[in-house]
Amino acid sequence: MNSRTRKGGKHGGPFAWQKLAFAEDLEADPTLSGVQKGLIGTIAKNYNNRTGQSECSLTFLAAAVGTTKKVVARYAHIIVASKRVSIVKPGAGRASTKWSVNWWFRGSGYVRLKNDGKPIFDCRDLSSESPKASPLESPKMSPSGGDVPGDSKPRRVPRVGDQTLSSSKEERKVACDQGAWAFRPAPGAATCSRMVMVSESDVKKTANGETVAHFSISNAIDGEPYGELDIVLESNTVDRQDEGQRKLTELSRVTAGDVVDTADMHGIPFLMTPAGGILPDHANDNAMEMQNLFDLANTLDRLEGHRKFWRPKGPDRDLIVAELKRLAGNHMKEAA
């Protein structure tokens, strides 16, 4: 069965591994900005299995992603158009907006690459033998035998990071392309969070007239290549340019702070995930002072696979710092 079913045939919502698969696919969707992903992720995390809906007001969503209610209202039609979520009943007065979540939508860069550039609107319609059926499962947690029709034993489906490391450079770029920025892991690089630094950088013009900053990312401990990060600085498309500037700001906050030149970012350690997520080094006081704790909490929650660091009354800074220490500490132990 693909979801829980209560007595009387009443739907009880998706399993935890199905929710995790949805979250990881969302994180790797190249058609959505970081804020849009955060909004959809918050709606998904607040899904009520009993009612089959998620109740989230625009104010609640704004606080969750660290933005304003006006921005959420502007992005509402975009996240609905993505087909990942839909509005069941608009909010009125004190009543929150009721949302529905399409847990079976798959639209990551890898899925689109293998599906002629198109997303999959319902991955349950695919045969379990088909390579396109793999997005049904969570890359981190395989279902138990019998959860998927025709399956007798659990399988592990490769993560986006695994696919990119064994693919050509062109495929790796597509799999990790987030629209206004793209991260390409280095062949053979570990598919887990790493303490890294910018080792080289330059700014260049592309054939379509965009200005792009290119960063070579290296392991902060041994200097081995970790990957390449490209960020759009100037574009004829406003949304693309804005998203690129947000990613550059994110990078500058964990490195130099006030950036005059990309070279200012060189040699300053920070944490990076295989999908290009950026987190500060807990030991860098300047970087920690510049962080939006809501953003950090949401990023760590996506890595964890469930809500742990985000709190309605405000993220727990001590808990976030402890997790950053743990991630950095794991890398240090491996290096030793």
Side-chain angles (χ1 to χ4, degrees):
M1 294 172 61
N2 286 339
S3 59
R4 294 187 182 90
T5 304
R6 293 197 185 125
K7 292 181 180 179
K10 205 168 185 179
H11 189 272
F15 288 101
W17 63 264
Q18 291 168 328
K19 292 182 177 181
L20 180 57
F22 175 89
E24 293 192 340
D25 179 82
L26 170 65
E27 179 68 16
D29 192 332
T31 66
L32 298 170
S33 71
V35 173
Q36 292 159 8
K37 290 176 186 178
L39 295 174
I40 295 174
T42 300
I43 292 170
K45 288 175 185 176
N46 286 276
Y47 184 84
N48 187 317
N49 284 344
R50 183 178 60 82
T51 63
Q53 298 175 353
S54 176
E55 294 190 22
C56 298
S57 67
L58 300 187
T59 302
F60 175 79
L61 290 173
V65 300
T67 187
T68 64
K69 182 178 178 181
K70 186 176 180 180
V71 170
V72 175
R74 189 169 74 243
Y75 281 161
H77 75 281
I78 297 176
I79 63 175
V80 169
S82 75
K83 304 299 182 183
R84 289 182 178 273
V85 296
S86 59
I87 295 177
V88 177
K89 185 178 181 181
R94 294 186 177 181
S96 298
T97 300
K98 294 183 178 180
W99 304 80
S100 175
V101 180
N102 179 7
W103 296 106
W104 320 115
F105 182 97
R106 297 293 181 266
S108 68
Y110 176 66
V111 169
R112 293 173 191 271
L113 178 67
K114 298 300 182 182
N115 198 40
D116 302 322
K118 301 175 184 177
I120 296 173
F121 295 100
D122 191 337
C123 59
R124 295 171 298 178
D125 292 340
L126 300 172
S127 165
S128 61
E129 286 79 22
S130 167
K132 295 180 182 179
S134 62
L136 175 63
E137 297 184 4
S138 165
K140 285 186 179 176
M141 189 186 305
S142 296
S144 301
D147 280 343
V148 180
D151 288 352
S152 59
K153 48 188 175 180
R155 303 191 308 270
R156 182 188 183 277
V157 177
R159 299 180 61 183
V160 170
D162 296 335
Q163 295 294 336
T164 57
L165 294 181
S166 60
S167 302
S168 67
K169 184 172 181 178
E170 181 181 359
E171 286 180 322
R172 285 191 281 122
K173 181 172 182 179
V174 172
C176 294
D177 192 344
Q178 303 297 307
W181 61 273
F183 177 68
R184 295 183 296 274
T191 55
C192 57
S193 298
R194 279 283 182 265
M195 188 67 75
V196 300
M197 63 182 179
V198 175
S199 53
E200 296 180 7
S201 63
D202 63 354
V203 178
K204 54 189 176 183
K205 282 279 188 180
T206 64
N208 61 2
E210 290 185 331
T211 302
V212 177
H214 174 80
F215 299 92
S216 295
I217 309 297
S218 301
N219 189 313
I221 296 176
D222 57 22
E224 289 296 312
Y226 184 75
E228 301 170 348
L229 177 65
D230 291 327
I231 302 177
V232 174
L233 303 181
E234 296 179 359
S235 172
N236 293 328
T237 305
V238 175
D239 287 346
R240 186 173 169 84
Q241 179 170 308
D242 287 348
E243 180 64 17
Q245 290 294 333
R246 279 192 291 272
K247 189 65 176 179
L248 182 66
T249 299
E250 184 182 358
L251 181 59
S252 69
R253 283 177 175 172
V254 301
T255 53
D258 296 325
V259 176
V260 177
D261 187 88
T262 57
D264 296 335
M265 303 179 181
H266 292 190
I268 302 176
F270 61 93
L271 281 164
M272 196 168 197
T273 71
I278 295 173
L279 296 165
D281 175 9
H282 71 278
N284 186 333
D285 294 335
N286 291 333
M288 289 300 298
E289 287 178 5
M290 300 185 71
Q291 296 306 307
N292 182 320
L293 290 183
F294 282 104
D295 289 343
L296 273 180
N298 278 323
T299 300
L300 291 173
D301 279 349
R302 285 195 291 270
L303 288 174
E304 192 74 12
H306 61 86
R307 175 173 289 184
K308 177 180 178 180
F309 300 96
W310 191 93
R311 304 291 174 82
K313 293 183 179 180
D316 186 326
R317 182 184 178 87
D318 292 337
L319 187 64
I320 289 174
V321 171
E323 179 63 8
L324 294 176
K325 287 181 178 179
R326 186 188 72 81
L327 291 172
N330 285 347
H331 188 191
M332 297 293 286
K333 289 178 184 177
E334 290 176 13

